[in-house]
Amino acid sequence: MRKIWIMIVLLIIGVSSHAQDMTALVLKVKEKLDQVNDYEAEGRMKTDVAFIKAPIGKVKVYFRKPDRFRLKKDGGISLLPKGGVSVNIGSLVATQNFMALGAGEAVVDGIATKVVKLLPSDENSDVVLTTMYIDEANLLVRKAVTTTKENGTYEVQMSYGKFAQYGLPDKVIFSFNTKNYKLPKGLTLEFDDNEKPATEAEKLKNRKGRVEIRYTNYTINKGLPDSVFK
Amino acid sequence: MFSLIQIETYKIFRRPRTYIAFAAITSLIVLIQFGLKVDGKSYLDFMLNDLSTTLQIEGNIMNGYLVCYVMLQLLLVHVPLLIALIAADMISGEANMGTLRLLLTKPFSRTQLMLSKFIASTIYTLLLLIWLAFLALFVSMWIFGTDDMFLMKSSYVVLLKENDVFWRYIGAFVFAALAMTTVAALGFLLSVFAENSIGPIVATMSVIIFFTILSTLNIPIFNTVKPYLFTTHMISWKEFFDIQVNDANEAINGSIQNLPKILQSAAILLIHIVVFVWAAIWVFRKKDILS
């Protein structure tokens, strides 16, 4: 019986120390991201959703600590997945109130990463769980899978380049689940049979929606007016 | 021949009924523009209801380009009825007034007279469309502004860049002109067979309504007939607003999804015009004019 108790205590100590390690790692990542108070980035956005035919458009992205984020298409209509605010990884680790649990290791784009489960302490948080794939050597988040109460689960995958020292990605791929889109023909006043062939429609049906942003330039810590976030 | 066309055009525009179509189009467009300006958001919310559960859509969606598209969808089905008012009256109207025999005493051949009358009714049709384009497109652009065009089709959504829209409207209106000229040609043909205006006008309207209903009915048994109805091809102007995508699902600016369909429909409509006008001239040349 005593042995069992010792084992349980050791297990608890082991798990809590592991979780503590992960919190430290997340805080290190946060510290790196904290170098950036605000940024303005220019990029090109590609919307890849089976039922949307959209061209690549230029976008401007604005961020200010802790979690103000705005994506504006350069003159035009933008389509973003709900919960698109979290395209920015900074807002994922913006809060101090989380519990970080280690969940092993994984390889993302050929890079070894630590898998960290982030559980927000705030019961009212829209985010239920975030799984982060952290490149420990460079303190970069390579991938994050977030489950929310309102907007389902989405995945953000990041590639880094020139601005890796600030923890800012050159490319962000945002994946999300899409519902099958259908409007009654009486509403669209389309009575001719010009739908996509069934095989193609079937092929596309179960695909995830993707929004890809390639950043071409960042302007960091130059200050941003409130008006850009409106 | 030119003076004959001038005279026939003058005769069309002297009649008060000619302006009914212009007045009807003006009032309808103004009404729709007013409705969309005042309560366009509710209309959009309703249309975007399904989409907005997964996507956040930002920008001036209810802009002049979309408003014009909505109006063309509604109006281009009904404008043929207004065209029939004039085109189906071209010969029968003269017969009804007893001026046809007198007209044929002039030093013009029957073919020349028929061609000039058809050209005059085509001029009326084109002016009506230009008026429609001015109100539906240019006035809407002025009232609602311009932006990308966000088009909701029944099974997919098309986003056209602002600088990729205007030329599509030029194409759509040129196509619509061809479609409306087909209606004018049909009305013109039917007007040869009657001695009063009401018959050919109602007959033209009936043919258009009947064929349009057949074209729009989604019952498999009628699908074999649809390609042979000119009303099926009249709505191909919408194809100008569909865009091709590459293998990566990126829309290709300046492309048209189904250009062969547009060209095929245009060719079919053109053949209809030629056949209708030729038949009208052929019948008229053989006809014993008694009125």
Side-chain angles (χ1 to χ4, degrees):
Chain A
M1 188 65 190
R2 200 173 153 185
K3 276 182 184 175
I4 291 170
W5 273 113
I6 291 167
M7 277 177 73
I8 290 170
V9 169
L10 284 174
L11 196 68
I12 291 168
I13 292 168
V15 168
S16 61
S17 65
H18 194 62
Q20 220 168 20
D21 281 347
M22 292 301 112
T23 306
L25 179 62
V26 173
L27 289 174
K28 274 186 197 171
V29 172
K30 188 175 180 308
E31 200 176 301
K32 184 172 185 173
L33 291 169
D34 275 348
Q35 296 175 85
V36 181
N37 293 319
D38 59 72
Y39 69 75
E40 179 184 336
E42 286 170 12
R44 292 174 72 77
M45 186 174 80
K46 183 182 138 188
T47 309
D48 181 10
V49 180
F51 57 80
I52 295 175
K53 290 180 173 187
I56 291 179
K58 283 184 180 173
V59 288
K60 274 193 173 176
V61 171
Y62 303 94
F63 171 77
R64 190 202 283 163
K65 272 202 309 195
D67 58 357
R68 296 199 81 178
F69 186 86
R70 181 92 164 111
L71 187 145
K72 281 184 185 170
K73 203 169 172 196
D74 212 7
I77 293 165
S78 64
L79 301 168
L80 274 178
K82 277 259 173 108
V85 173
S86 301
V87 172
N88 160 56
I89 204 70
S91 58
L92 287 174
V93 290
T95 170
Q96 297 276 1
N97 307 320
F98 59 79
M99 188 189 283
L101 301 172
E105 291 177 356
V107 176
V108 178
D109 280 342
I111 298 161
T113 59
K114 295 271 183 199
V115 183
V116 180
K117 304 265 180 195
L118 283 186
L119 294 159
S121 315
D122 183 5
E123 276 184 11
N124 297 320
S125 167
D126 184 45
V127 175
V128 177
L129 172 71
T130 301
T131 306
M132 279 191 181
Y133 296 74
I134 299 173
D135 173 359
E136 199 176 9
N138 298 302
L139 294 178
L140 295 171
V141 180
R142 296 280 170 186
K143 192 169 121 179
V145 182
T146 301
T147 304
T148 62
K149 287 176 191 162
E150 299 289 331
N151 303 310
T153 299
Y154 48 84
E155 183 184 307
V156 191
Q157 196 160 344
M158 283 146 291
S159 306
Y160 295 86
K162 282 188 290 184
F163 297 91
Q165 67 200 68
Y166 295 101
L168 298 174
D170 279 8
K171 189 171 97 172
V172 177
I173 299 172
F174 191 91
S175 310
F176 54 101
N177 293 320
T178 55
K179 286 181 185 170
N180 206 14
Y181 168 81
K182 201 86 186 159
L183 265 186
K185 289 191 169 191
L187 264 182
T188 57
L189 298 175
E190 283 180 307
F191 298 105
D192 46 336
D193 296 309
N194 60 350
E195 285 184 13
K196 289 182 181 180
T199 49
E200 196 187 345
E202 278 303 311
K203 200 170 67 185
L204 296 170
K205 209 171 184 176
N206 297 319
R207 273 178 56 178
K208 274 190 165 186
R210 271 162 50 111
V211 170
E212 183 182 308
I213 304 171
R214 282 175 187 271
Y215 292 107
T216 50
N217 189 36
Y218 279 100
T219 309
I220 302 166
N221 294 340
K222 298 284 180 197
L224 286 174
D226 283 342
S227 56
V228 297
F229 296 104
K230 282 173 187 167
Chain B
M1 177 76 176
F2 182 68
S3 57
L4 204 55
I5 294 169
Q6 275 184 312
I7 292 166
E8 291 302 331
T9 312
Y10 174 75
K11 278 155 72 177
I12 287 177
F13 284 94
R14 263 200 74 213
R15 277 179 291 187
R17 88 165 72 154
T18 302
Y19 299 97
I20 292 173
F22 287 88
I25 283 176
T26 307
S27 49
L28 267 170
I29 289 177
V30 170
L31 200 69
I32 296 169
Q33 282 169 338
F34 173 76
L36 291 177
K37 186 74 186 170
V38 173
D39 205 17
K41 199 184 169 299
S42 308
Y43 171 77
L44 261 187
D45 288 346
F46 177 66
M47 292 294 280
L48 293 172
N49 193 27
D50 194 25
L51 212 56
S52 56
T53 54
T54 44
L55 291 168
Q56 189 179 319
I57 305 156
E58 285 183 12
N60 179 17
I61 300 171
M62 189 53 80
N63 60 63
Y65 289 139
L66 182 67
V67 170
C68 180
Y69 188 87
V70 170
M71 284 194 282
L72 290 191
Q73 273 190 316
L74 294 169
L75 288 176
L76 284 181
V77 182
H78 304 105
V79 169
L81 306 178
L82 301 171
I83 287 167
L85 272 178
I86 299 301
D89 182 52
M90 290 305 283
I91 307 295
S92 56
E94 298 272 6
N96 190 33
M97 287 188 292
T99 52
L100 196 54
R101 263 199 302 184
L102 186 68
L103 196 61
L104 290 173
T105 59
K106 300 283 178 189
F108 296 108
S109 69
R110 286 192 181 192
T111 306
Q112 278 178 319
L113 179 75
M114 288 295 278
L115 282 176
S116 61
K117 277 191 173 290
F118 174 67
I119 291 168
S121 56
T122 304
I123 289 170
Y124 160 79
T125 304
L126 296 181
L127 285 173
L128 196 63
L129 266 178
I130 290 169
W131 181 240
L132 175 69
F134 169 73
L135 287 176
L137 182 59
F138 293 102
V139 174
S140 295
M141 283 164 72
W142 176 63
I143 295 173
F144 296 89
T146 58
D147 206 324
D148 293 350
M149 190 171 169
F150 186 75
L151 213 53
M152 283 162 283
K153 293 183 171 270
S154 58
S155 56
Y156 56 100
V157 171
V158 180
L159 183 64
L160 297 168
K161 282 199 157 189
E162 187 178 354
N163 60 10
D164 192 30
V165 177
F166 192 77
W167 72 270
R168 292 176 193 273
Y169 270 113
I170 295 172
F173 276 110
V174 169
F175 190 92
L178 202 61
M180 295 305 123
T181 307
T182 310
V183 175
L186 173 68
F188 186 68
L189 169 64
L190 295 177
S191 79
V192 174
F193 297 100
E195 306 274 302
N196 64 73
S197 304
I198 301 298
I201 291 172
V202 173
T204 309
M205 287 180 176
S206 304
V207 169
I208 292 163
I209 291 167
F210 185 75
F211 280 10
T212 304
I213 289 171
L214 272 185
S215 300
T216 53
L217 269 180
N218 246 338
I219 300 172
I221 198 169
F222 297 129
N223 287 349
T224 46
V225 188
K226 282 182 186 178
Y228 304 102
L229 306 174
F230 67 90
T231 45
T232 305
H233 300 282
M234 277 168 58
I235 51 173
S236 292
W237 64 270
K238 290 180 188 176
E239 297 296 327
F240 278 99
F241 298 92
D242 202 353
I243 195 167
Q244 281 180 354
V245 289
N246 60 20
D247 291 339
N249 201 25
E250 293 163 12
I252 305 163
N253 274 334
S255 67
I256 294 173
Q257 175 64 37
N258 202 348
L259 185 61
K261 189 179 176 186
I262 296 176
L263 295 175
Q264 189 198 25
S265 293
I268 289 169
L269 292 175
L270 207 60
I271 291 168
H272 272 86
I273 294 170
V274 171
V275 169
F276 287 157
V277 174
W278 174 82
I281 293 170
W282 187 77
V283 171
F284 191 69
R285 285 180 63 174
K286 301 265 177 206
K287 196 176 180 186
D288 197 7
I289 308 295
L290 302 168
S291 52

